[in-house]
Amino acid sequence: MIEIARDALDAELGIAGLYFAPNALAPLAVHPGWFDLKVMSSPGPLVSDFVTHGPEFAYSTSGIHIGQDDRLTFFGAPDRVIDGHFIDCRAGSRTLHKRVHARFHASPARRLVIERGIAHTFDGLAGIVTRDEPLWYSAEHNPHWNVNNDLVSVLRDAGAPPVVEVNPHRLPDSLHEYMTRLSQAVLGEPKAYSTRFKLRIGGTEQYVMFQEHAWDQEGRDLAPLLAAVAAVPGVTAHRSRYAITGKASWTLVPNTDSGVADVLHLPAQRPGAVALFVHRRTRKWYSLLTGEGMAVQLDTIDLRPGSASYGRAASATLTCDPRISYTIEPGIAYRFAAATDLFCRVEHEIFVAEDEPRADLPAFGQDLALVDPADLPAAQPALPTLPCPARVVRQMARYEVEPA
């Protein structure tokens, strides 16, 4: 067994294409009431999905991607121990059928890269959320690959591991974006992922898809969660776009057209702090990833010029559930407070004004202002209303993680 130190960011795991790499992190020393850490996207197509694992989650299979490299970040309490089990199943590999057992802790500071053709499964994922930043590959003809379901499942107690051919051609970023939009369209309503096994039927080996119908498809009732912010001006609750991947376990795809998401760490706080925070160029989408079922306090003040509820303070108690995403409109000052540390997915829609540049608006990339409810200015700046195209949002994110 290979044990990975908690502070280790780079680590090879004995199979080529299986290793840990450091994530792009940005400490946020804004104010004690704000998030204190941002985990940015990794270099590449800037596509990310988030996989939650319910309290009873356990893998009975290993998975082998034929046309996808996984890049996994494990979010959860830092004392959580995870065991990964890996087998090299790539045809022609020097380490074909080599097995590796690695033990490591959840950490936002590093990602685990598992290249296509390496079978993998994990123990200890209940309550953990993984971010996957996949890299996709195609082939002209590969009988092991199915574009609708790239993953081959193998029972963990099966005999000899399989041998697979992997796809050789990396897809351009534009096709990653297209596949993300396709996932968003397909998951307008939640759907269960199917599993794909290789079986021998009538003397012939072939891949067969199975659809699971026994999973708990909804967990807690979402209606009260969606209604929790109904009386809060400028805040709306939405059902996230997700697939059902296990009992009370889900895979979240992006909400926004750009598909770009960061992860923010919210340290444990108590309600009642004075400071709030406002964005004037950005609509924020928040998904509470960890701490499922826990209460989070949201306090707001409407600072939108011309709003019928201008100056109104409001509060709501949210319930952590990644299947719900909350939008906060530009000009709404807000603050989250929770009794334990939480990780949140944040997505962005950015707006510009017709009369740019505006001295009364923050510069792009610096759209955060501290608000003291006891000392509000008599007037607030007019808010920009022209949405930036998704490609501009992506380029801004790319510049952040891949500076020239």
Side-chain angles (χ1 to χ4, degrees), residues 52-55 57 75-77 80 124-129 289-291:
T52 74
H53 304 90
F57 186 89
F75 294 98
R80 286 293 305 274
L125 286 188
I128 296 291
V129 174
L289 295 175
T290 57

Side-chain angles (χ1 to χ4, degrees), residues 15-17 88-93 95-96 115-118 162-164 166:
I15 296 175
D88 188 352
C89 296
R90 297 168 294 185
S93 172
T95 55
L96 179 64
E115 293 189 1
R116 58 208 184 281
I118 299 175
V163 178
V164 299
V166 298

Side-chain angles (χ1 to χ4, degrees), residues 190-251:
K191 294 178 175 61
Y193 271 161
S194 57
T195 53
R196 186 163 67 104
F197 290 86
K198 191 174 188 179
L199 304 178
R200 181 175 293 276
I201 301 175
T204 302
E205 287 190 333
Q206 55 186 289
Y207 286 103
V208 178
M209 305 269 268
F210 294 88
Q211 190 75 44
E212 177 62 66
H213 296 290
W215 289 332
D216 176 4
Q217 298 198 10
E218 286 301 317
R220 69 176 57 81
D221 184 12
L222 294 186
L225 280 64
L226 290 166
V229 295
V232 181
V235 180
T236 307
H238 310 260
R239 182 196 288 269
S240 303
R241 297 178 184 272
Y242 64 90
I244 306 157
T245 50
K247 183 175 177 59
S249 303
W250 304 283
T251 294

